[in-house]
Amino acid sequence: DIEKALDYLREKSLAASAKKASRIAAEGIVDCFVCEKCGVGVIIEVNCETDFVAKSDDFKNFAHDVALQIASMKPTCVAIEDLDAKAVELEREIYKNQALAEPKPKPLNIIEKMVDGRIQKYYKEVCLLEQDFFKDPGKTIKQYQTEVTAKVGEKVAIRRFVRYEMGEGIEKRKDDYLGEISENLAKMQQNG
């Protein structure tokens, strides 16, 4: 049965990649992606165990795909473990208070399940490894990383990234030329 054989091989390769997860990955590449049209740039460090794998097309494509993911999906960290526990607890409290403030509040056990669901959604928004891969939405970045680990035969890990967006964090001046013209016309009419 070819289906069962393929499933068996997939399971074996995933089990092998799980064993590799504890190994040290100190080689790799720093890749970047810049979109001048949208004003976004990403620098990413992806590690592996050998320079041989770091030079492979599979590894380079993975790093570039992940840089594109970061550019488009705006994660703030690599993994759930990288999040500040206080920030997550604050999110949890906000979600709980929102649920309690609904006109028809639900029982506490239901609210807790709702909050857990919203926290999982929050993780998918801010944690790169939890996000759906833009090229294959049925797969997370973590699953894609596991597949690449199995394919190249050694541990592959996203270490860190920085995302820049043109004008991010700068309060932009909002000119209202039409309003200024109307105001100036009104003043001119008053003055005669």
Side-chain angles (χ1 to χ4, degrees), residues 145-162:
Q145 179 177 280
T146 301
E147 286 177 8
V148 173
T149 294
K151 192 171 188 179
V152 300
E154 61 183 56
K155 180 180 179 179
V156 172
I158 302 164
R159 180 152 186 260
R160 57 188 168 173
F161 67 86
V162 178

Side-chain angles (χ1 to χ4, degrees), residues 44-168:
I44 183 170
E45 179 182 348
V46 182
N47 297 125
C48 58
E49 296 174 48
T50 63
D51 62 344
F52 175 76
V53 166
K55 294 175 184 173
S56 73
D57 287 341
D58 289 327
F59 185 78
K60 289 178 181 177
N61 290 340
F62 172 73
H64 194 68
D65 282 346
V66 174
L68 289 170
Q69 176 83 18
I70 294 164
S72 64
M73 300 305 293
K74 304 178 184 181
T76 59
C77 64
V78 175
I80 292 171
E81 300 78 36
D82 300 334
L83 289 171
D84 178 33
K86 289 180 184 175
V88 173
E89 199 51 45
L90 177 63
E91 286 294 319
R92 186 175 287 284
E93 280 299 311
I94 290 169
Y95 297 146
K96 185 176 181 179
N97 290 337
Q98 286 173 344
L100 289 170
E102 288 182 6
K104 196 172 178 184
K106 296 176 178 36
L108 228 57
N109 63 334
I110 301 295
I111 288 176
E112 286 302 319
K113 288 180 183 178
M114 288 171 55
V115 169
D116 287 343
R118 289 179 183 168
I119 288 293
Q120 292 305 314
K121 185 177 178 187
Y122 170 72
Y123 289 156
K124 280 187 160 282
E125 289 173 12
V126 300
C127 301
L128 175 64
L129 292 176
E130 302 302 315
Q131 291 183 341
D132 290 331
F133 180 34
F134 76 98
K135 284 187 174 179
D136 186 355
K139 178 189 311 180
T140 64
I141 294 295
K142 185 187 297 184
Q143 291 167 326
Y144 180 33
Q145 179 177 280
T146 301
E147 286 177 8
V148 173
T149 294
K151 192 171 188 179
V152 300
E154 61 183 56
K155 180 180 179 179
V156 172
I158 302 164
R159 180 152 186 260
R160 57 188 168 173
F161 67 86
V162 178
R163 182 183 184 281
Y164 296 96
E165 187 167 344
M166 182 65 70
E168 186 176 44

